[in-house]
Amino acid sequence: MGRITLDKVTKSFGDIEVIPPLDLTIDEGEFVVFVGPSGCGKSTLLRLIAGLEDVSSGQIRIDRQDATHLPPAKRGLAMVFQSYALYPHMSVRKNIAFPLKMAGMDKAEQDKRVNYAAEVLNLSDYIDRKPGQLSGGQRQRVAIGRAIVREPAAFLFDEPLSNLDAALRVNMRLEISELHAKLKTTMVYVTHDQVEAMTMADKIVVLQAGRIEQVGSPLELYRAPRNRFVAGFIGSPKMNFITGAAAEAFGVHEIGVRPEHLQPSTESGMWKGTVGVGEHLGSDTFLHVHDTGLAETITVRASGEMALRHGDTIWLTPEADKIHKFDAAGLRVE
Amino acid sequence: MATQHSRAAARLMISPAVLLLLGWMLIPLGMTIYFSLLRYNLLMPGNNPYVGWENYKYFLTDPAFSAAIFNTLALVGGVLLITVVGGILLGLLLDQPMWGQGIVRILVIAPFFVMPTVSALVWKNMFMNPVNGLFAYLAQFLGLEPFDFLAQAPLMSIIGIVSWQWLPFATLILLTAMQSLDREQLEAAEMDGAGPFNRFFYIVLPHLARAVTVVVLIQTIFLLSVFAEILVTTNGGPGNASTNLTYLVYAESLLRFDVGTGSAGGVVAIVLANIVAIFLMRMIGKNLEA
């Protein structure tokens, strides 16, 4: 249960093609994250899978059955919305039981499943409250509870953490990953935050303008981005891109080096520059280096203790085997 | 937190408005109560002796009174039922994306801008007239006998006319409420397996509860005092068939020139309005909280 296949799926709104023909397979039990900048079509893609939007052409198969024209409720998927979309006039219990009630399940079985979901999600203490009396994280959990009681073939998450504060987001990230480990159900998760994608996914799908740029595990994408877009999108802080003479020394149009793959030194190195702003995070310090003649700013990760001040001279040396090379079209060159 | 000083200043500054409003309401109320205790008939000039509760006794035992109470409640209840149900249905219809939506919405609101007197006359003469009315033509076209609405079903006809006037108001408020419903909630319900009817009953209708409350409360205030529609169509008749409390008070004071009984009727109307208001607030007022 829970294998989703998209076959040459397209979506147009009027004359505007939002998603050009797209193929994708989501395997059973996988945690797949759609990531990309805003407006890249990732939410549209999720809504196509959910059935909330009709595909313009192509086929969607869920568990090898054609689901292209099935209504959302018949697809056996459950969705968690960005705004949680809880029903404000119903208690937590009724919210969670709603899909079961709509399915005409008998009351005892409903109660059993709701209580189980409440237990799994630590909601038992709030079960008779209304959503308006809950905090953001609790509402999030109710929305997830409403999704899990149906025992769906797959869960769809549409930027579920974007309304939470930073600390809670880290918590919920762990809880969702934990839930996936426990339920082993397919999950499709949409986010614009590459940190969420990297930390949670089994498989990341990087999207840009409706096209899939690359599909792979987080480390595959990190180690071998297929093009300049993926290289720049995955990894934090962003990869440094260098063109010109320094790149030609490696025989390509452009090279990319991640901040963590540059060795800073106060004495000697490959490239010389001036230290600008330093962001001290404790364990690491991210230095913005100027006047290297390579790019406007080069970001480099130094150890947290590195004593460098604004205006100091610094030498940078890239780790030779961690340099990404790109041709003029932005594609990776091995 | 306001200081002692600023609170005193605030009281001082709003006092003129409060005093003006108090005078504005209390003086007429006081005079009405005062007149209601006098034998005061314009056809019998002279001294107006104090008669105690006589006017009330006379007004409350008048056979027209019980008819008027029933008619008032039937009018309010009937119009509320038609406008709330009709308003929800029209709102659902107008909420659908369609060509010319803006113009259609303005057209729907139009009846609300027609004066009650004018709309009642239009209905009386152009639609319900048994000889020249459009309904009469329609009945004749179908080979039926024209129905004399205002003579044979006077109260129902007035309920129809008043509903036509208030339907736009209800539609407007309910439509706005519908548009404020979060689309994601409907989509979530759709994913949860709720069909169109279940979505309406479990999601849309509860969301509309507050708007319905507002419509019911506001309309009740105005519907208790419907007058112009009755005056220009049926004059409260035939008999007392379409006399409501407001019209009965008018008939006592200005047709029978009995100011005393008319005032007593006015006081009774105030009490009735308050009873209705208390019941309404008890029943549905909790929807307005939070």
Side-chain angles (χ1 to χ4, degrees):
Chain A
M1 290 290 278
R3 184 187 164 95
I4 301 169
T5 314
L6 307 185
D7 191 5
K8 297 194 181 54
V9 165
T10 68
K11 176 67 187 173
S12 308
F13 291 109
D15 294 336
I16 305 155
E17 190 174 59
V18 189
I19 295 184
L22 179 147
D23 295 303
L24 180 68
T25 303
I26 295 164
D27 280 322
E28 191 188 324
E30 241 181 353
F31 198 121
V32 176
V33 176
F34 294 170
V35 68
S38 48
C40 70
K42 54 192 189 297
S43 282
T44 309
L45 193 57
L46 193 75
R47 293 167 61 84
L48 288 175
I49 296 174
L52 295 172
E53 304 277 356
D54 294 322
V55 296
S56 301
S57 69
Q59 201 187 39
I60 296 174
R61 284 190 300 275
I62 298 170
D63 293 330
R64 290 187 194 82
Q65 285 182 347
D66 184 4
T68 318
H69 300 292
L70 278 184
K74 295 269 158 61
R75 298 189 181 198
L77 307 175
M79 185 152 166
V80 176
F81 290 83
Q82 184 172 4
S83 67
Y84 319 136
L86 300 179
Y87 312 128
H89 52 279
M90 298 183 198
S91 66
V92 169
R93 176 183 293 282
K94 284 192 175 154
N95 259 288
I96 297 177
F98 188 71
L100 306 179
K101 189 171 167 183
M102 289 299 112
M105 188 179 282
D106 72 89
K107 198 85 182 72
E109 178 68 15
Q110 276 186 35
D111 281 344
K112 208 177 100 197
R113 289 217 200 173
V114 170
N115 289 337
Y116 172 72
E119 209 171 296
V120 170
L121 294 161
N122 285 327
L123 283 169
S124 304
D125 294 343
Y126 322 111
I127 195 91
D128 291 314
R129 293 207 198 158
K130 295 267 173 76
Q133 298 162 304
L134 302 179
S135 71
Q138 290 163 348
R139 283 182 212 184
Q140 179 67 71
R141 285 208 288 269
V142 176
I144 294 173
R146 196 171 62 186
I148 65 175
V149 284
R150 291 177 56 197
E151 298 178 354
F155 292 101
L156 310 177
F157 292 92
D158 188 6
E159 307 215 15
L161 304 186
S162 55
N163 288 342
L164 301 178
D165 63 58
L168 209 51
R169 204 176 299 171
V170 174
N171 251 332
M172 285 308 295
R173 216 160 71 195
L174 289 175
E175 280 188 36
I176 293 176
S177 297
E178 199 63 50
L179 192 70
H180 179 240
K182 201 183 289 178
L183 300 174
K184 297 187 174 56
T185 312
T186 312
M187 291 191 177
V188 185
Y189 188 104
V190 163
T191 179
H192 60 264
D193 182 354
Q194 63 92 21
V195 177
E196 275 175 31
M198 292 294 280
T199 50
M200 300 168 81
D202 294 325
K203 184 157 98 182
I204 297 181
V205 178
V206 183
L207 288 153
Q208 190 197 10
R211 274 181 333 236
I212 293 181
E213 295 288 346
Q214 191 171 0
V215 179
S217 74
L219 283 180
E220 274 167 36
L221 262 57
Y222 178 79
R223 287 201 196 110
R226 207 167 65 187
N227 56 34
R228 198 183 174 283
F229 176 79
V230 177
F233 199 79
I234 299 292
S236 171
K238 267 182 76 168
M239 186 186 277
N240 298 299
F241 290 104
I242 299 161
T243 49
E248 269 148 34
F250 290 91
V252 288
H253 173 75
E254 188 171 29
I255 57 169
V257 188
R258 297 194 186 277
E260 54 269 40
H261 298 146
L262 281 167
Q263 289 294 332
S265 161
T266 48
E267 284 122 31
S268 65
M270 197 173 198
W271 301 319
K272 183 187 167 193
T274 315
V275 175
V277 174
E279 294 171 314
H280 299 275
L281 301 179
S283 59
D284 298 315
T285 299
F286 293 110
L287 298 170
H288 295 259
V289 180
H290 304 288
D291 306 326
T292 49
L294 307 164
E296 199 172 326
T297 322
I298 297 283
T299 315
V300 56
R301 185 182 75 179
S303 79
E305 253 84 312
M306 190 140 187
L308 277 168
R309 310 264 298 273
H310 204 281
D312 286 353
T313 301
I314 187 171
W315 275 271
L316 304 172
T317 312
E319 292 172 29
D321 56 339
K322 301 272 172 64
I323 297 173
H324 304 270
K325 300 170 194 163
F326 303 101
D327 65 14
L331 290 174
R332 180 180 185 82
V333 179
E334 288 299 337
Chain B
M1 198 61 199
T3 62
Q4 198 79 38
H5 185 74
S6 72
R7 247 179 285 156
R11 270 189 212 126
L12 189 70
M13 287 192 203
I14 61 165
S15 56
V18 172
L19 288 177
L20 187 70
L21 272 176
L22 267 180
W24 202 278
M25 293 188 305
L26 285 184
I27 292 172
L29 179 66
M31 286 179 73
T32 307
I33 293 172
Y34 171 65
F35 287 148
S36 72
L37 301 173
L38 301 181
R39 178 174 298 147
Y40 186 178
N41 192 318
L42 297 177
L43 293 177
M44 293 180 278
N47 60 342
N48 299 317
Y50 173 81
V51 290
W53 298 104
E54 191 187 282
N55 285 326
Y56 287 94
K57 208 173 127 197
Y58 177 70
F59 187 82
L60 293 173
T61 52
D62 185 348
F65 173 73
S66 53
I69 290 280
F70 172 78
N71 288 342
T72 306
L73 296 178
L75 183 63
V76 172
V79 174
L80 282 180
L81 190 71
I82 293 173
T83 51
V84 169
V85 173
I88 289 174
L89 295 178
L90 264 181
L92 282 174
L93 205 60
L94 291 175
D95 201 19
Q96 308 301 318
M98 59 177 173
W99 189 82
Q101 205 168 31
I103 290 175
V104 170
R105 281 183 196 167
I106 290 172
L107 285 178
V108 166
I109 297 159
F112 202 49
F113 296 128
V114 181
M115 282 176 270
T117 326
V118 175
S119 71
L121 281 174
V122 167
W123 275 91
K124 180 189 182 186
N125 295 323
M126 291 181 68
F127 291 104
M128 293 175 168
N129 188 299
V131 180
N132 298 315
L134 285 179
F135 292 150
Y137 278 120
L138 187 70
Q140 276 168 341
F141 177 76
L142 295 171
L144 302 168
E145 189 135 327
F147 186 74
D148 189 355
F149 289 91
L150 292 172
Q152 293 174 40
L155 190 61
M156 291 314 272
S157 303
I158 287 171
I159 289 175
I161 295 172
V162 178
S163 298
W164 180 79
Q165 285 171 0
W166 283 94
L167 192 56
F169 172 78
T171 306
L172 199 65
I173 293 205
L174 294 169
L175 175 64
T176 326
M178 267 175 217
Q179 285 171 337
S180 74
L181 176 59
D182 181 11
R183 294 281 137 196
E184 284 198 343
Q185 270 183 38
L186 286 176
E187 285 175 352
E190 198 180 343
M191 299 242 17
D192 283 345
F197 282 102
N198 280 333
R199 283 207 293 280
F200 175 74
F201 283 110
Y202 287 105
I203 313 296
V204 178
L205 217 49
H207 176 76
L208 290 182
R210 188 183 291 196
V212 169
T213 312
V214 169
V215 168
V216 168
L217 286 178
I218 293 180
Q219 286 200 14
T220 305
I221 295 168
F222 285 93
L223 294 177
L224 280 171
S225 57
V226 164
F227 176 72
E229 291 85 344
I230 298 173
L231 183 74
V232 300
T233 52
T234 62
N235 266 315
N240 292 321
S242 60
T243 299
N244 70 352
L245 207 52
T246 321
Y247 194 83
L248 186 65
V249 171
Y250 158 78
E252 290 292 347
S253 338
L254 293 163
L255 297 182
R256 277 163 226 147
F257 300 101
D258 188 344
V259 177
T261 311
S263 298
V267 174
V268 171
I270 294 168
V271 173
L272 177 78
N274 278 290
I275 291 171
V276 171
I278 288 168
F279 266 107
L280 276 180
M281 293 306 274
R282 278 270 174 96
M283 274 194 301
I284 57 179
K286 62 178 187 293
N287 280 341
L288 291 176
E289 287 163 16

